[in-house]
Amino acid sequence: MLFPVAVALFAAAAFAPRHASALTRHDFPEGFVFGAGTSAYQVEGAVEEDGRKPSIWDTFTHQGYSYNKSTADVSADQYHHYKDDVKLMHEMGLDAYRFSIAWPRLIPDGRGEINPKGLEYYNNLIDELIRHGIQPHVTIYHLDLPQSLQDEYNGLLSPRFIDDYTAYAEACFESFGDRVKHWVTVNEPNIETIGGFDNGRLPPQRCSHPFGENCTRGDSTTEPYVAAHHLLLAHASAVRLYRDKYQATQRGQIGITLLGWWHEPATNSSQDAAAATRMNDFHIGWFMHPLVYGDYPTVMRSRAGARLPNLTAEQSKKLRGAFDFIGFNHYLVVRARADDSAFNLKQRDYYADASAIADPFEDIQAGGLEYAPWALGKLLDHLKLKYGNPPILIHENGYSDPPKISGKIVYEDDNRSEFLQDYLEVLYLSIRNGSDARGYFVWSFLDVSEFLFGYRSRFGLCGVDMNIKGRTRYVRNSARWYSGFLNGGELRPSGKAYTAA
Ligand SMILES: *[C@@H]1O[C@H](CO)[C@@H](O)[C@H](O)[C@H]1NC(C)=O
Ligand SMILES: *[C@@H]1O[C@H](CO)[C@@H](O)[C@H](O)[C@H]1NC(C)=O
Ligand SMILES: *[C@@H]1O[C@H](CO)[C@@H](O)[C@H](O)[C@H]1NC(C)=O
Ligand SMILES: *[C@@H]1O[C@H](CO)[C@@H](O)[C@H](O)[C@H]1NC(C)=O
Ligand SMILES: *[C@@H]1O[C@H](CO)[C@@H](O)[C@H](O)[C@H]1NC(C)=O
Ligand SMILES: *[C@@H]1O[C@H](CO)[C@@H](O)[C@H](O)[C@H]1NC(C)=O
């Protein structure tokens, strides 16, 4: 048993005052937003239509590197079905839809001309949402970097990325900011950089031995830091622009969304406790620390030394406070175990300390997700104590099933409903304990092409029949459950939220 004492206290404090089963959405703070999400590359399809050009994800999947060589060329085909989807969202009762704009659809060459057809598509989608009373929560950049910028200057590795990104963000503010009041600059920079430049498993597949296996180029000891640095500066630049030029009239909010793995010590040893703290600093602090305090965490400086870029006084000032909210995508807990041999062997700054689960990527793929709603509570508590309790939106949280066996549609997904209720209960309790969480988005609104697993894992509240041309949607039981909750129904958590088995 891990952390029996802490868990028991948490449970007692959590459950004593009232019956959790009586919770409804009205127990959440005024204005709390409930939604569901997708991202452009994963859901749109139509990758070669109406002037869209390739992103690094198109290149990656077309070269057969994705799971089972799947692509998102069609995926759920939301590009052609957005009206039906908005209708479904409306029927479900979503307050908000979180989606992203495809940079290579809006500005196909990465900079320069706006593609009128791309502009039209997002205008239509946004208008359709607003007509149905659904808030658009828009991510500007969600991993799908235009291939042209990768080819021209190595994308994130060049400081030129910052200007091109800022110009693209400005095109979004200018085109859609009259209607979009919730902007996310960048989605999951803290894993994009690891997947793309450390282990090389995701585009642009850069890494070096012994950190990744199959890369033909890259340097895992430096490039992740450089890419992250440029993403941070690009974020800060877009926030500054929005605040200076658009926020007063458009009256929206802007933030960034991080992947929020929670690292928990694997044992009671003080070494493992230190390892978990270090891992949280590397994973969360990498971005949170500069955004709150204007520099990288001390432990990153001491471990990465001169490989970690410096921030000038000017950059530091621009970063500090550069958010109205922080989004977190929360799925799992990583059991951290101190392992200095791995650190020495590979000089690996990132994963050396997380060897209890050898590699979170593999663990996710193996389906070995630990059921740990309590970890969300720990994450929120950490943000409260360490980073001044910023406004938080849980931007992704969800449960994956295997796809249906061919021809047989699976509506029964009680595990998903139970999962969501357990996490919502923890979220509620964290808010009551002082966390400033303001929204919750289920990943995903409907089945999409998953970045790591293609179509093997389905997270959708609504299913999509990926084998037929019309990509028929069907409503799973979890969507009906969520709809009931959104309409005032009670949460029925399983009571398993606090058992860290
Ligand atoms: C409530 O917050 C305090 C301070 O952040 C923390 O120590 C405690 O564990 C939290 N309790 C629960 C039940 O979340
Ligand atoms: C490297 O390539 C081999 C052979 O194609 C494959 O089995 C292995 O999974 C790849 N490793 C990574 C980390 O992608
Ligand atoms: C942690 O410590 C407690 C009591 O000190 C003990 O009962 C428990 O077995 C320990 N857990 C682990 C994983 O070592
Ligand atoms: C950052 O600054 C320190 C101290 O001035 C210096 O030693 C280090 O080399 C610099 N790092 C980089 C990446 O420039
Ligand atoms: C639901 O979850 C349980 C426990 O994790 C698992 O044994 C079961 O196979 C799951 N059911 C489905 C339909 O996936
Ligand atoms: C892998 O792709 C093939 C060909 O498209 C398909 O028939 C098969 O069902 C896929 N397997 C999985 C596990 O997705």
Side-chain angles (χ1 to χ4, degrees):
M1 279 285 109
L2 299 153
F3 295 93
V5 175
V7 166
L9 285 177
F10 195 46
F15 284 108
R18 64 179 296 170
H19 261 299
S21 61
L23 285 182
T24 72
R25 68 169 296 168
H26 304 298
D27 292 297
F28 286 76
E30 182 85 29
F32 193 92
V33 171
F34 288 99
T38 62
S39 90
Y41 177 68
Q42 294 174 274
V43 77
E44 284 179 3
V47 294
E48 288 176 356
E49 245 170 272
D50 292 341
R52 183 189 180 280
K53 288 192 178 170
S55 75
I56 57 175
W57 268 91
D58 294 285
T59 309
F60 178 76
T61 58
H62 287 169
Q63 289 174 351
Y65 291 111
S66 48
Y67 178 78
N68 200 23
K69 303 191 191 307
S70 60
T71 75
D73 288 1
V74 183
S75 188
D77 201 20
Q78 188 165 76
Y79 191 73
H80 296 113
H81 296 281
Y82 73 90
K83 284 193 175 170
D84 298 335
D85 286 346
V86 173
K87 193 157 166 271
L88 260 182
M89 292 172 208
H90 179 66
E91 285 164 5
M92 209 189 285
L94 298 187
D95 301 333
Y97 178 46
R98 172 178 180 256
F99 64 97
S100 75
I101 291 174
W103 187 346
R105 193 182 295 287
L106 191 66
I107 305 183
D109 292 314
R111 69 164 162 278
E113 293 297 297
I114 289 185
N115 169 20
K117 287 288 198 182
L119 183 67
E120 185 186 331
Y121 173 68
Y122 294 111
N123 271 329
N124 287 344
L125 173 60
I126 290 164
D127 288 346
E128 192 73 8
L129 287 165
I130 287 173
R131 241 196 311 278
H132 286 83
I134 299 167
Q135 302 169 19
H137 283 231
V138 177
T139 305
I140 297 170
Y141 172 55
H142 196 119
L143 305 176
D144 49 356
L145 183 77
Q147 182 64 43
S148 57
L149 301 185
Q150 186 64 37
D151 295 341
E152 189 181 341
Y153 54 67
N154 268 330
L156 303 182
L157 291 180
S158 167
R160 292 174 64 189
F161 169 79
I162 300 165
D163 287 344
D164 286 342
Y165 171 83
T166 307
Y168 161 53
E170 175 150 37
C172 293
F173 302 147
E174 224 162 61
S175 308
F176 313 119
D178 57 333
R179 289 152 291 159
V180 173
K181 304 303 168 196
H182 303 271
W183 293 106
V184 168
T185 55
V186 178
N187 178 71
E188 294 189 2
N190 51 342
I191 198 65
E192 179 180 17
T193 43
I194 299 289
F197 303 90
D198 177 34
N199 60 39
R201 291 183 194 199
L202 304 180
Q205 293 173 288
R206 295 179 65 95
C207 63
S208 57
H209 188 75
F211 304 96
E213 294 168 39
N214 299 330
C215 303
T216 53
R217 58 211 182 282
D219 181 349
S220 302
T221 67
T222 55
E223 289 185 357
Y225 298 125
V226 173
H229 193 65
H230 294 150
L231 282 166
L232 266 171
L233 296 176
H235 159 81
S237 163
V239 170
R240 172 67 64 88
L241 175 73
Y242 186 68
R243 286 183 169 170
D244 287 353
K245 203 166 155 188
Y246 297 95
Q247 199 164 34
T249 49
Q250 298 188 346
R251 303 189 167 280
Q253 299 220 313
I254 188 162
I256 189 169
T257 294
L258 305 177
L259 182 61
W261 284 335
W262 177 250
H263 295 86
E264 185 76 9
T267 73
N268 289 341
S269 79
S270 57
Q271 291 91 330
D272 286 356
T277 301
R278 227 165 20 239
M279 285 300 294
N280 284 324
D281 281 344
F282 267 92
H283 180 65
I284 297 166
W286 195 4
F287 289 82
M288 282 310 290
H289 212 275
L291 289 170
V292 174
Y293 303 110
D295 198 6
Y296 293 109
T298 316
V299 67
M300 291 189 72
R301 283 254 169 256
S302 67
R303 292 223 158 190
R307 289 177 288 117
L308 189 65
N310 286 327
L311 288 159
T312 65
E314 162 85 37
Q315 290 169 335
S316 171
K317 186 162 165 250
K318 218 166 153 183
L319 277 164
R320 215 177 305 129
F323 59 88
D324 299 320
F325 62 85
I326 306 284
F328 272 92
N329 298 344
H330 177 77
Y331 292 94
L332 75 153
V333 63
V334 177
R335 301 289 184 173
R337 190 187 297 279
D339 185 356
D340 282 326
S341 64
F343 180 73
N344 292 333
L345 182 69
K346 292 187 165 185
Q347 297 180 327
R348 174 163 251 178
D349 308 318
Y350 301 97
Y351 286 132
D353 300 317
S355 59
I357 284 175
D359 184 333
F361 268 58
E362 300 223 309
D363 195 63
I364 301 169
Q365 278 177 317
L369 286 187
E370 186 180 336
Y371 195 74
W374 52 268
L376 173 62
K378 291 212 168 188
L379 171 67
L380 290 169
D381 205 44
H382 179 74
L383 296 168
K384 182 175 77 180
L385 295 177
K386 192 148 182 176
Y387 300 110
N389 204 21
I392 299 292
L393 293 168
I394 299 302
H395 265 153
E396 291 182 21
N397 176 234
Y399 179 90
S400 78
D401 271 336
K404 66 192 176 64
I405 313 305
S406 64
K408 188 164 156 272
I409 287 186
V410 177
Y411 299 98
E412 291 76 25
D413 61 344
D414 296 343
N415 281 359
R416 179 172 291 110
S417 308
E418 181 179 303
F419 176 102
L420 298 174
Q421 294 180 79
D422 285 354
Y423 276 84
L424 279 169
E425 181 194 31
V426 171
L427 182 57
Y428 165 78
L429 293 169
S430 297
I431 293 168
R432 257 204 353 175
N433 197 32
S435 167
D436 193 8
R438 299 180 180 188
Y440 177 86
F441 291 73
V442 176
W443 183 269
S444 43
F445 164 62
L446 79 180
D447 289 345
V448 299
S449 173
E450 285 298 330
F451 284 118
L452 292 177
F453 339 102
Y455 301 101
R456 186 184 71 170
S457 288
R458 304 296 177 88
F459 282 82
L461 292 166
C462 295
V464 177
D465 193 333
M466 298 287 179
N467 295 319
I468 64 169
K469 194 157 178 296
R471 295 299 192 270
T472 311
R473 277 81 166 121
Y474 53 96
V475 176
R476 293 201 172 106
N477 286 350
S478 60
R480 296 184 203 287
W481 167 77
Y482 197 38
S483 182
F485 173 71
L486 295 176
N487 283 298
E490 290 183 3
L491 272 190
R492 301 254 172 222
S494 70
K496 291 191 288 200
Y498 303 101
T499 49

